[in-house]
């Protein structure tokens, strides 16, 4: 009995280690993609010829919290798609700055070349002044959460973060096809 229990524990330990290694590899790949996107944005901001970005400003009244200002910037690539015989634009990085009452928030979404959100960074002022800013970093591979880091308690759940990113990608696609 003791040998069986030891064997089961060993198998569980090996399986956990393999899964952790896979998650680490996925996070490392996403971090490389993130660094590449940030370099592309920096380069594009220096060169007017290659700048592909769209900024949307939203100002509205939110019941219970007051006036909200939101600025969303989409960084995208444009290429000729021979399958549809036209130019296509796809976002690779999205930022959003906004307020919730007096709290200031900032979000980032990294999008892969297939249009899937692979990373989200959400941050905002905390209601608890001892914490300062709350942050959440979420990493997805194939639509499945592989890693997260959260500081604070008021950061959105990973499913909400993913849906927000998907909604922004969809909004970009709708705006570019109008």
């Amino acid at each position: 009995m003791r040998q069986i229990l030891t064997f089961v524990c060993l198998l569980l330990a090996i399986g956990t280690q393999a899964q952790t290694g896979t998650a680490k590899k996925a996070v490392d790949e996403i971090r490389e993609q993130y660094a590449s996107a940030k370099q592309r944005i920096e380069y594009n901001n220096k060169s007017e010829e290659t700048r592909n970005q769209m900024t949307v400003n939203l100002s509205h009244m939110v019941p219970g919290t007051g006036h909200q200002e939101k600025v969303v910037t989409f960084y995208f690539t444009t290429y000729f798609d021979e399958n549809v015989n036209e130019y296509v634009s796809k976002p690779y990085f999205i930022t959003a700055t906004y307020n919730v009452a007096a709290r200031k928030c900032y979000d980032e979404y990294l999008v892969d070349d297939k249009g899937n959100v692979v990373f989200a960074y959400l941050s905002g002022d905390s209601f608890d002044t001892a914490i300062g800013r709350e942050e959440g970093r979420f990493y997805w591979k194939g639509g499945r959460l592989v890693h997260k880091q959260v500081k604070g308690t008021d950061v959105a759940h990973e499913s909400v973060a993913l849906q927000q990113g998907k909604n922004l990608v969809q909004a970009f696609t709708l705006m570019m096809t109008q």
Side-chain angles (χ1 to χ4, degrees), residues 31 34 108 119-123 134-140 145 147-151 155-156 158 161:
R31 286 182 176 156
Y34 179 90
E108 293 180 343
F119 173 74
Y121 168 75
L122 311 176
S123 70
E134 298 185 316
E135 299 180 338
R137 289 175 174 80
F138 306 98
Y139 300 81
W140 295 277
L145 184 72
H147 182 68
K148 71 177 179 179
Q149 295 171 271
V150 176
K151 173 189 166 196
V155 175
E158 62 264 14

Side-chain angles (χ1 to χ4, degrees), residues 98-130:
Y98 57 97
N99 68 293
V100 178
R103 296 177 64 207
K104 297 198 182 313
C105 302
Y106 175 76
D107 299 346
E108 293 180 343
Y109 300 92
L110 180 66
V111 182
D112 69 11
D113 57 354
K114 295 177 182 153
N116 300 311
V117 176
V118 295
F119 173 74
Y121 168 75
L122 311 176
S123 70
D125 296 334
S126 175
F127 290 116
D128 182 355
T129 55

Side-chain angles (χ1 to χ4, degrees), residues 26-62:
V27 169
D28 289 345
E29 289 171 359
I30 292 167
R31 286 182 176 156
E32 286 177 22
Q33 187 180 350
Y34 179 90
S36 175
K38 293 296 256 187
Q39 286 176 343
R40 186 185 319 175
I41 290 167
E42 185 178 328
Y43 174 78
N44 288 348
N45 284 339
K46 292 177 183 175
S47 171
E48 289 294 324
E49 294 175 15
T50 58
R51 179 177 278 170
N52 282 334
Q53 73 184 58
M54 173 175 48
T55 302
V56 178
N57 296 303
L58 175 64
S59 178
H60 63 108
M61 189 61 69
V62 180

